[in-house]
Amino acid sequence: MTERSQIFISTEDLAARLGEPNLRIVDGSWYQPTVPRDAIVEYEIRRIPGAVYFDIDVIADTSTGLPHMLPDAESFARMAGDLGLAETNEIVVYDGAGLASAPRVWWMLKLYGAKNVRILEGGFERWMRERREMDRDDPKPPTPSLFRSGLDPRPLADMATVARHLAEGTATVIDTRPAERFTGAAPEPREGIPSGHMPGALGIPAGVFVKGLVLADEPTIRTALAGVDLERPIVCTCGSGVTASILWVALLAIGVPEERLTLYDGSWSEWATSGGAIVTGA
């Protein structure tokens, strides 16, 4: 079973280790288009000392027309290296909401070969509430590093694979978008994308896995997953591959082997605009 200490680091532990030569801190904040917050501006105003900003809309394959799709390994290595990151660093990722987009950045770094990545428990919000040290000066350009990247394709599910799983029942596809978007009762935050869900997908909103600023406890997670066969393969999906990473973290934290998990990077943004079947209702 994966211990939470392998996924998370406390604010107390991080504060005690600031300045260690192999430690790198990454602000992975990102907000939905409908949320009135600017992650980059917030980072420029104040951040954990030494933090660099990891923009999932920039460290991405921007040629697809889909939001923050994974880049190729060479591009990721170059952009991560420009941020001063190496795959051998101990990397701590946080976001401004507590536990929202940091899991996506954590997942990406691991996917491309980072050996030791953890998420800051409680994120920057907890760090601020505890009145811990912050940088308020203009961010300094990071010293470039060499990130030796090797994309591991195993955790990735593409549209064809997801469609096959749904048709053949060979995996449980869990969609973590809010219930209203899953049922089609509320619009998607991105213009031109219909709401609804994939036929056969199970809707479990990512919010049920978060309590306040942190990952919910194991009984809460297991209750939310009641009826899901955790011995079968699971595909994590959402609107654009961000909150699906929260599900990934929750499953890992309760002992589901990582080898049993895949994530659909294109998620609903690709499915709903590329001819995938759409159903509405519960």
Side-chain angles (χ1 to χ4, degrees):
M1 180 173 178
T2 302
E3 297 291 334
R4 289 198 177 206
S5 61
Q6 295 177 256
I7 304 172
F8 296 100
I9 183 172
S10 70
T11 51
E12 181 180 12
D13 286 348
L14 179 59
R17 300 184 56 193
L18 289 178
E20 288 187 3
N22 195 48
L23 180 68
R24 299 293 183 272
I25 303 173
V26 172
D27 182 336
S29 301
W30 173 87
Y31 302 104
Q32 291 279 4
T34 54
V35 175
R37 294 182 66 170
D38 189 318
I40 298 176
V41 169
E42 291 181 10
Y43 165 79
E44 291 173 343
I45 292 172
R46 55 188 178 184
R47 71 207 76 88
I48 295 176
V52 296
Y53 183 68
F54 187 113
D55 190 336
I56 64 172
D57 286 325
V58 172
I59 303 178
D61 180 354
T62 57
S63 69
T64 68
L66 296 169
H68 37 255
M69 292 287 286
L70 293 171
D72 61 69
E74 183 179 351
S75 297
F76 183 90
R78 173 177 50 78
M79 291 185 280
D82 287 346
L83 290 179
L85 304 178
E87 82 286 354
T88 53
N89 290 141
E90 181 175 358
I91 304 173
V92 175
V93 183
Y94 71 86
D95 64 52
L99 188 68
S101 55
R104 169 69 181 195
V105 177
W106 167 88
W107 179 81
M108 287 180 66
L109 286 162
K110 285 166 56 66
L111 187 73
Y112 287 95
K115 306 296 190 297
N116 188 353
V117 191
R118 287 188 287 175
I119 299 168
L120 181 62
E121 196 163 37
F124 192 53
E125 181 63 29
R126 174 177 282 183
W127 187 272
M128 289 192 296
R129 291 182 187 182
E130 294 172 347
R131 300 182 182 277
R132 298 193 183 275
E133 183 181 355
M134 286 186 281
D135 276 346
R136 297 178 184 272
D137 296 330
D138 291 340
K140 297 177 181 178
T143 301
S145 183
L146 176 63
F147 191 106
R148 294 180 177 87
S149 175
L151 176 63
D152 178 8
R154 189 216 59 79
L156 299 174
D158 60 16
M159 184 173 176
T161 301
V162 175
R164 185 175 69 252
H165 282 315
L166 291 167
E168 299 176 358
T170 47
T172 302
V173 178
I174 301 178
D175 187 329
T176 62
R177 289 174 299 147
E180 296 80 7
R181 288 165 55 193
F182 181 85
T183 62
E188 287 294 303
R190 295 178 180 85
E191 187 176 351
I193 299 179
S195 54
H197 61 272
M198 307 167 195
L202 179 63
I204 306 179
V208 303
F209 302 112
V210 180
K211 185 176 182 180
L213 301 174
V214 301
L215 188 70
D217 57 30
E218 182 168 346
T220 300
I221 293 171
R222 289 192 177 276
T223 297
L225 294 167
V228 176
D229 185 351
L230 300 178
E231 299 299 319
R232 300 179 70 239
I234 296 173
V235 178
C236 306
T237 184
C238 58
S240 61
V242 177
T243 61
S245 304
I246 298 175
L247 171 61
W248 185 291
V249 168
L251 290 165
L252 203 61
I254 64 169
V256 176
E258 204 157 19
E259 294 73 24
R260 205 170 289 159
L261 308 177
T262 54
L263 189 146
Y264 178 21
D265 189 38
S267 281
W268 187 249
S269 294
E270 178 180 41
W271 183 276
T273 58
S274 301
I278 299 173
V279 294
T280 57

